[in-house]
Each structure stands twice: as structure tokens, then as C-alpha cells.
């Protein structure tokens, strides 16, 4: 063996040793019941002021730890800039949401996910595709997975969700997804949307919350159900370790100000991860809620239907006052 070959062999051996050592260490965390640690970037892809002049990769792929991958859609690809999560077990993988872009030419989500899936017995690991809820920005990528072998897509309508996970007493009860050496608990969390689910991963101690809790506008469909969901999740987490709460979007800057709706540029973006304290703050926030809008450092509560109704009412009052003024003006002129 020549020196160069020997050096290459030694370096490859030390890479393999490091990889094995990392694997042993992570398994040790799991065996001890401690969440497997991971890293989050200080800054995600924040889009651009001019997406044409500064083209962006449509998907940012971040490995939190070897078996947990976070994908972020560029705000340039779609203003919703969804976060998509891939959890890999030893028998199966789970994809939480498929994002806001349907066209595989604009964003090859399925291809990217398949490349990330490890092989077992010479075949790609089976994949389950689930959704936090039925809103289109969380399932537009579904058709990319439709005809793939060993991929199962959970229905997005409420009867389909209930039947798939076996929720007989919705929104009570917890379902479990066994990925092999890794269990993901599924918790009904209606309030933003009737079909909403949160996912708790026992490997990393992360709670994936979709649009239920995130550094963004929390759009309320049913305030009572939302508060009840928060209380159920708080109760569920009482006996569990929680490392991070990771949601579906970031719509706030670091100072807690929301970006303009539809913005493709998120300068100085708020961190993605929220904490147990943010979750604990939800029920009291709902108790104080005026039904329209409330701003907190890490999220904004807003009821779009109530706000629209209030705006409609204001427009009607202004039009009424204007019409009355015009009527009086015309009467005075005639007189
Ligand atoms: Zn939504
Ligand atoms: Zn959403």
C-alpha cells in the first residue's frame, strides 16, 4: 500500500469509526430515555426581496440529527414557506406535511424525501405521509407521493383522519405510530382547523405543532376547541420530556412583528422553536382573548372571520354616514 492510499484508508477508517461512535452515542441517549440531541440553524432560508434577481433553492434540507430531517420551503417558492418534517425509524419513516407547492418541477419534494430515506434489506424504508391538518399549504405536495411504492398517504378529511388513526372519541385519545425503535404520538388539536393534529416524537422529545402553535399568526376557527386542545397537550406533556415545539411556519421577525401577508422575504426572522412556556401561555391567552386580535412576543392570536365581520361593519357605518351626509347636502341645495 502506497503512502497516499494508506492515508486515505486511515482517514476513511477514522470517518467510519466516528460515524459508528456517533451512532453508539445516540443509541445510548435513546436507551437512557434521554431525548436524542440535535441542532437547529440560527437562520433558515429567508427568501429574498427580489426572488427573480436572487434565485433561491426551493427546499432547504437540515439534518437535526441523523434520523430527523427538517425541510423548509423557500419563501420565494411559496410565501407560506412551510416546514416539513421527516422522522426515520428502523422499520418505517414518517413525513409530517407535504407543503404548499404541488409541481414537482418547481419543488421536487418526493424525490428529495426518497433520496433521504435509508435502505433496509435492499429496499427503501416504507414511508407514511401524514398531515398536521387539511389546509392546502400542508398537503399540496401529496400527489407527488401518490403512485410511489411503499408510500402510504393518510387522508386529510376528518372522517379519514379519525378512521386511519382509530380516534373513536375525537378530539380525545392519543394514537401511536410505531416507526421501529421510535414512537410518534398523535394528539388531536382542533381549533385552527377541525382536522388538526400534533405529533410528539419520543426519540427527540420534539412536539410538531403545524399551525396550532408557531411563531406566526395563530388563525382561530374555534376558540373554545383551541383552548381545550392546548389544555390536552399541556396535560399530555406533563410526564414527558420536551426539547422543542416546532410548527409549520414562521411569520414573525425577531421582535415579534408579523411580515406582510404574502411576503416572499423574511428579514431577521424569529426562531422556529418555541418552548413549554409558550404552550402554557395559550390557555390564559384564550381566556383573555377579545375575539379579534392579541399580540404576544412569540405569536399573534387572530380570528380572521371576526376581523372580516368587524371590517365589514366599519365599512357599512362609513358608507351609511357618507350617504346620510350626501342626502342632507342635496336636500339643503334643493331648499
Ligand atoms: Zn392552516
Ligand atoms: Zn399553514
Amino acid at each position: 500500500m502506497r503512502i497516499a492510499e494508506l492515508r486515505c484508508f486511515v482517514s476513511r477508517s477514522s470517518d467510519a469509526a466516528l460515524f459508528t461512535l456517533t451512532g453508539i452515542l445516540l443509541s445510548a441517549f435513546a436507551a437512557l430515555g434521554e431525548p436524542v440531541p440535535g441542532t437547529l440553524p440560527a437562520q433558515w432560508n429567508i427568501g429574498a426581496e427580489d426572488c427573480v434577481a436572487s434565485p433561491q433553492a426551493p427546499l432547504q434540507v437540515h439534518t437535526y440529527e441523523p434520523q430527523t430531517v427538517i425541510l423548509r420551503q423557500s419563501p420565494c417558492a411559496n410565501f407560506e414557506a412551510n416546514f416539513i418534517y421527516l422522522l426515520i425509524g428502523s422499520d418505517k419513516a414518517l413525513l409530517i406535511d407535504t407543503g404548499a407547492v404541488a409541481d414537482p418541477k418547481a419543488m421536487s419534494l418526493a424525490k428529495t424525501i426518497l433520496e433521504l430515506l435509508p435502505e433496509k434489506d435492499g429496499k427503501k424504508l416504507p414511508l407514511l405521509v401524514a398531515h398536521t391538518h387539511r389546509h392546502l399549504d400542508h398537503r399540496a405536495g401529496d400527489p407527488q407521493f401518490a403512485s410511489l411504492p411503499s408510500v402510504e398517504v393518510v387522508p386529510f378529511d376528518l372522517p379519514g383522519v379519525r378512521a386511519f388513526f382509530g380516534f373513536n372519541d375525537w378530539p380525545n385519545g392519543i394514537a401511536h405510530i410505531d416507526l421501529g425503535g421510535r414512537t410518534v404520538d398523535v394528539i388531536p388539536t382542533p381549533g385552527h382547523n377541525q382536522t388538526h393534529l400534533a405529533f410528539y416524537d419520543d426519540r427527540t422529545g420534539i412536539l410538531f405543532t403545524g399551525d396550532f402553535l408557531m411563531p406566526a399568526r395563530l388563525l382561530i376557527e374555534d376558540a373554545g376547541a383551541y383552548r381545550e386542545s392546548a389544555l390536552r397537550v399541556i396535560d399530555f406533556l406533563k410526564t414527558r420530556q420536551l426539547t422543542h415545539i416546532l410548527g409549520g411556519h414562521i411569520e414573525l421577525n425577531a421582535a415579534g412583528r408579523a411580515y406582510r401577508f404574502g411576503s416572499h422575504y423574511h428579514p431577521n426572522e424569529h426562531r422556529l422553536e418555541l418552548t413549554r412556556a409558550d404552550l402554557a401561555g395559550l390557555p390564559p391567552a384564550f381566556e383573555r382573548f377579545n375575539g379579534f386580535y392579541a399580540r404576544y412576543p412569540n405569536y399573534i392570536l387572530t380570528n380572521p372571520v371576526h376581523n372580516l365581520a368587524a371590517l365589514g361593519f366599519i365599512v357599512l357605518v362609513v358608507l351609511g354616514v357618507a350617504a346620510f351626509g350626501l342626502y342632507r347636502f342635496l336636500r339643503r341645495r334643493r331648499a
Side-chain angles (χ1 to χ4, degrees):
M1 200 180 273
R2 281 180 297 151
I3 299 282
E5 279 172 351
L6 182 68
R7 233 184 258 138
C8 179
F9 173 76
V10 170
S11 129
R12 248 188 278 135
S13 309
S14 59
D15 279 357
L18 193 67
F19 188 76
T20 314
L21 190 67
T22 312
I24 292 169
L25 273 175
L26 294 181
S27 306
F29 274 111
L32 286 170
E34 285 298 311
V36 171
T39 57
L40 290 164
Q43 182 79 83
W44 296 93
N45 181 335
I46 57 164
E49 260 181 303
D50 183 344
C51 293
V52 178
S54 325
Q56 309 281 309
L59 266 178
Q60 177 182 5
V61 181
H62 172 79
T63 305
Y64 174 80
E65 56 90 23
Q67 287 174 242
T68 306
V69 183
I70 306 175
L71 300 100
R72 207 258 169 113
Q73 300 195 322
S74 166
C76 281
N78 185 289
F79 76 92
E80 297 275 15
N82 289 68
F83 286 87
I84 297 167
Y85 301 97
L86 177 65
L87 314 184
I88 301 167
S90 54
D91 301 328
K92 207 178 183 180
L94 169 69
L95 187 69
I96 302 174
D97 287 343
T98 60
V101 179
D103 184 0
K105 285 189 224 87
M107 181 177 306
S108 52
L109 179 68
K111 184 171 169 284
T112 306
I113 296 297
L114 287 186
E115 282 166 6
L116 290 166
L117 283 183
E119 288 195 2
K120 192 182 180 182
D121 306 326
K123 275 192 283 182
K124 287 281 179 193
L125 225 52
L127 177 71
L128 179 68
V129 178
H131 314 97
T132 53
H133 62 298
R134 69 174 300 158
H135 287 159
L136 191 59
D137 59 307
H138 297 261
R139 60 175 174 86
D142 279 17
Q144 294 189 25
F145 295 89
S147 55
L148 296 177
S150 306
V151 177
E152 189 176 9
V153 181
V154 179
F156 58 78
D157 62 312
L158 187 57
V161 169
R162 286 183 60 167
F164 185 90
F165 290 112
F167 289 114
N168 300 318
D169 182 26
W170 180 272
N172 297 306
I174 310 284
H176 312 282
I177 305 170
D178 183 3
L179 300 178
R182 177 177 205 173
T183 303
V184 177
D185 296 313
V186 187
I187 312 155
T189 45
H192 164 73
N193 178 258
Q194 226 191 358
T195 63
H196 206 291
L197 300 169
F199 298 83
Y200 175 78
D201 172 34
D202 74 345
R203 176 178 165 87
T204 57
I206 297 175
L207 180 74
F208 299 95
T209 47
D211 291 1
F212 164 71
L213 181 55
M214 55 181 175
R217 299 172 186 89
L218 306 184
L219 305 179
I220 301 159
E221 191 182 87
D222 181 337
Y226 216 131
R227 181 178 164 276
E228 291 294 319
S229 292
L231 289 170
R232 278 197 314 280
V233 177
I234 291 168
D235 192 54
F236 168 86
L237 287 171
K238 260 185 196 152
T239 53
R240 283 157 180 99
Q241 308 219 39
L242 178 70
T243 50
H244 303 294
I245 293 175
L246 303 182
H249 309 268
I250 301 174
E251 290 176 351
L252 307 182
N253 67 14
R257 299 260 169 207
Y259 299 111
R260 176 181 54 77
F261 184 76
S263 175
H264 292 281
Y265 183 44
H266 290 186
N268 191 24
E269 208 176 44
H270 194 288
R271 67 181 193 282
L272 169 66
E273 60 275 28
L274 296 183
T275 65
R276 202 185 279 266
D278 294 307
L279 175 65
L282 265 187
F286 272 97
E287 278 140 39
R288 286 193 295 268
F289 189 48
N290 59 16
F292 296 94
Y293 185 92
R295 222 180 72 143
Y296 290 88
N298 296 330
Y299 46 77
I300 291 167
L301 299 193
T302 177
N303 185 318
V305 176
H306 288 183
N307 293 340
L308 204 64
L311 187 69
F313 178 74
I314 291 166
V315 168
L316 276 180
V317 168
V318 169
L319 283 177
V321 168
F324 183 67
L326 187 68
Y327 166 76
R328 289 212 17 189
F329 171 74
L330 290 176
R331 267 192 59 160
R332 223 181 286 142
R333 267 191 63 173
R334 228 178 280 147

